[in-house]
Amino acid sequence: MNFHILTLFPDMVMDGLNTSIIGRAVNAGLLSIEAVNIRDYAFNKHQSVDDYPYGGGAGMLMQAEPVYLAYQAVAEKITERRSLTETEEHPESTAEAGSDLERKPRVVYLSPQGEVFNQKMAEELAREEDLILLCGHYEGIDERVLEEIVTDYVSIGDYVLTGGELPAMVMVDAISRLVPGVLHNDVSAEFESFQDNLLEYPQYSRPEEWHGKKVPSVLLSGHHANIEKWRREQSILRTYERRPDLLENCELTVKERRWLEEMVQSKETP
Ligand code: ADE
């Protein structure tokens, strides 16, 4: 998968994403991440990319043209690469309307006004071959270029940050770990928190006893069916206690629902 991040702070983004699991996946060729400096597309000699908003008001606005030129450069590169791959794979075919070559890449604008990012969105976006992430700064971006290029408005939560770089990094991280091969064991991406809409069960490592707290005995039993059952129950209980809103969209069996009710009742009655 290829991420293209349009930003005024390319170093911030690249420094943050070139380490650990994501950095390793980039080195392994499973992902590519490029940060495109919008300032390189400024059309004046001072390389300024912002101006005052018409109608007055606080702060500066990022202008439409540099953002548009940066987008166009990336979109052209994507089309060129796709056309090369297409010719390599099907040398005799010509590009048809509606083919992969015609398809415009998705462009996500990071903004507190967007739809709040979640695991389902990450799963959906992980199926894209290319994703362009547009980071705003100052008081935002001229509306006209947003209308022209943006396909998705995404927020990472109901709070306001100083720019879209951190949200873009959050999205790249959450999406990348779902790309096959990025996490060495694909099973863990499948079963972790939020899969199935349940939170992850508690985990323990050595020693068996720490600060007087013992590892639950079922985990030392070697009985896999019992361990699976205990983990599922802990996930359900934890979700009920910490994120009850998630349980509404969760498929629990009748038996599990009954078990949860009993647990809750036994906790409520001293
Ligand atoms: N830019 C500023 N705040 C943001 C947020 N919460 N999510 C996405 N982009 C943002």
Side-chain angles (χ1 to χ4, degrees):
M1 176 162 189
N2 310 300
F3 295 97
H4 313 266
I5 305 170
L6 310 185
T7 171
L8 291 175
F9 299 95
D11 291 346
M12 172 180 178
V13 173
M14 293 314 283
D15 288 351
L17 291 171
N18 264 336
T19 48
S20 186
I21 295 173
I22 307 299
R24 203 175 57 205
V26 169
N27 289 335
L30 295 163
L31 304 172
S32 82
I33 306 174
E34 65 160 349
V36 176
N37 193 345
I38 296 171
R39 205 173 291 284
D40 290 345
Y41 296 88
F43 49 94
N44 53 44
K45 68 172 191 286
H46 304 292
Q47 282 207 302
S48 74
V49 289
D50 58 326
D51 209 336
Y52 295 99
Y54 281 119
M60 305 286 271
L61 213 55
M62 282 168 69
Q63 291 168 288
E65 186 67 1
V67 172
Y68 188 65
L69 293 176
Y71 158 78
Q72 265 193 326
V74 169
E76 272 166 25
K77 216 162 54 181
I78 292 172
T79 311
E80 248 167 58
R81 197 202 58 233
R82 284 183 185 170
S83 121
L84 265 178
T85 322
E86 177 75 10
T87 346
E88 270 168 26
E89 285 172 7
H90 310 280
E92 67 293 340
S93 79
T94 49
E96 290 159 28
S99 77
D100 203 36
L101 293 178
E102 296 266 311
R103 201 165 38 84
K104 282 199 176 153
R106 271 170 95 165
V107 180
V108 173
Y109 177 47
L110 287 313
S111 155
Q113 295 179 9
E115 188 182 344
V116 177
F117 187 55
N118 60 22
Q119 191 67 19
K120 194 162 153 267
M121 240 191 256
E123 282 163 20
E124 197 223 320
L125 291 169
R127 288 186 214 116
E128 297 290 325
E129 188 186 351
D130 289 278
L131 192 62
I132 302 180
L133 298 158
L134 171 60
C135 307
H137 248 272
Y138 313 117
E139 291 305 310
I141 302 182
D142 189 309
E143 192 67 22
R144 294 166 295 183
V145 68
L146 300 179
E147 282 170 10
E148 208 144 307
I149 67 171
V150 172
T151 58
D152 303 78
Y153 291 79
V154 178
S155 161
I156 60 157
D158 291 335
Y159 41 81
V160 182
L161 300 164
T162 54
E165 282 72 17
L166 287 171
M169 287 157 76
V170 166
M171 284 188 69
V172 171
D173 192 290
I175 295 167
S176 294
R177 63 187 287 291
L178 300 173
V179 171
V182 170
L183 294 186
H184 281 316
N185 82 43
D186 285 338
V187 179
S188 81
E190 239 172 77
F191 286 101
E192 271 173 17
S193 284
F194 286 109
Q195 243 70 34
D196 225 6
N197 248 9
L198 287 174
L199 300 185
E200 202 183 7
Y201 46 79
Q203 299 254 46
Y204 305 87
S205 183
R206 286 195 293 182
E208 268 182 48
E209 185 171 335
W210 181 82
H211 281 204
K213 295 170 193 283
K214 291 200 168 101
V215 172
S217 56
V218 64
L219 299 178
L220 310 174
S221 68
H223 192 301
H224 292 296
N226 284 353
I227 293 172
E228 283 315 304
K229 181 168 173 286
W230 180 87
R231 285 181 166 165
R232 171 92 182 162
E233 288 171 352
Q234 293 301 309
S235 281
I236 295 170
L237 196 57
R238 183 157 275 201
T239 310
Y240 172 79
E241 286 168 351
R242 299 187 182 180
R243 291 291 308 276
D245 56 305
L246 292 178
L247 272 184
E248 283 165 27
N249 295 318
C250 190
E251 284 180 24
L252 299 190
T253 63
V254 176
K255 218 169 151 191
E256 285 171 340
R257 290 217 179 262
R258 224 176 276 140
W259 173 85
L260 179 61
E261 273 167 34
E262 278 168 21
M263 280 306 289
V264 173
Q265 264 167 15
S266 74
K267 282 197 174 188
E268 279 169 1
T269 41

